[in-house]
């Protein structure tokens, strides 16, 4: 299977060198190249390649190339290409890993390192392809990922209960619906963490990552933006109320419109809401009012 790729680099000479090495791999098919941020984003949106080689520390600062380009893609694409960073400095390697890039290659590119990166890419692509039989499609909910999700296999089913027994190995958070609750699986460096959505109080933005606050006082960090979670979480349970917060509607105990704050059940936590998300707050009020409650 041939995988398309785009090279984004402010140096046309480096573009040529990267392409020359990539052409040695039969499964890679060159699509286009770009020398600036805007041009690169437009090319990716137009061609939607499988892979992007990205420079993030350009010599030409006017090119505006940076890791922020990856975040920009999440605004428009439900399936974001795999990213391999190609740059001459290693200082940004740790920061790049937070964006879940496939690899971080230092210039001048070494064929052996390049080969390893392509093998990682190939493995990631294969892990994203559906390979399990779907006996009950309703058992899957949605995947918090920039790639095509692996299919979940339901091994056991009774008349009144659906249990997902097998969860595929993927580097991205996965959400599975089990009865009426939602299970979120977050993997980080081989550590699989399963969270019941009912246990989540709220999501808090932290630069390019998101802190997930649980009702037991624990906090889990996921290397996805809050915007990403807003896009994929079910609005029936989670609504954004602020640039920094997504709240679990079921965990709201009080809303003070005068002070523009929402209170969390069984805690002293109160979260501000902004005018730009006032419609969501009104929606929370209406939903609570639609349930069984007595207004005094």
């Amino acid at each position: 299977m041939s995988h398309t790729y785009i090279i984004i680099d402010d140096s046309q000479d480096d573009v040529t060198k990267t392409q020359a090495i990539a052409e040695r791999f039969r499964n890679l098919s060159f699509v286009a190249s770009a020398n600036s941020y805007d041009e690169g984003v437009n090319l990716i949106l137009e061609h939607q390649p499988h892979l992007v080689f990205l420079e993030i520390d350009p010599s030409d600062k006017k090119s505006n190339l940076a890791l922020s380009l990856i975040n920009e893609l999440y605004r428009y694409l439900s399936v974001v290409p795999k990213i391999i960073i190609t740059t001459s400095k290693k200082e940004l390697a740790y920061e790049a890993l937070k964006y879940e890039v496939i690899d971080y290659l230092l210039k001048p590119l070494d064929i052996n390192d390049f080969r390893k990166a392509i093998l990682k890419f190939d493995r990631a692509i294969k892990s994203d392809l559906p390979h399990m039989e779907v006996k009950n499609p309703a058992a899957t909910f949605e995947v918090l990922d920039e790639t095509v999700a692996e299919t979940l296999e339901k091994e056991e089913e009774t008349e009144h209960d659906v249990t997902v027994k097998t969860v595929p190995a993927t580097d991205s958070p996965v959400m599975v619906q089990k009865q009426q609750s939602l299970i979120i699986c977050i993997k980080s460096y081989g550590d699989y963490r399963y969270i019941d959505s009912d246990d989540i109080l709220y999501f808090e933005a932290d630069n390019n990552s998101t802190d997930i606050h649980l009702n037991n006082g624990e906090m889990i960090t996921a290397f996805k933006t809050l915007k990403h979670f807003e896009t994929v979480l079910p609005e029936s349970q989670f609504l954004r109320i602020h640039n920094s917060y997504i709240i679990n509607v079921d965990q709201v105990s009080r809303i003070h419109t005068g002070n523009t704050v929402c209170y969390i059940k069984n805690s002293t936590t109160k979260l501000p809401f902004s005018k730009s998300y006032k419609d969501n707050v009104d929606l929370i009020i209406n939903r609570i009012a639609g349930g069984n409650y007595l207004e005094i």
Side-chain angles (χ1 to χ4, degrees), residues 244-294:
S244 298
Y245 299 105
I246 293 175
I247 199 169
N248 184 343
V249 176
D250 298 329
Q251 296 289 350
V252 176
S253 64
R254 177 185 175 189
I255 297 176
H256 197 303
T257 56
N259 294 334
T260 62
V261 292
C262 293
Y263 291 78
I264 300 296
K265 289 181 180 178
N266 303 317
S267 74
T268 58
T269 302
K270 53 184 179 180
L271 305 178
F273 64 84
S274 57
K275 293 182 179 179
S276 56
Y277 292 99
K278 181 62 166 55
D279 288 344
N280 282 352
V281 175
D282 290 339
L283 186 57
I284 294 174
I285 294 174
N286 291 333
R287 286 183 184 175
I288 296 175
N292 296 323
Y293 88 111
L294 175 64

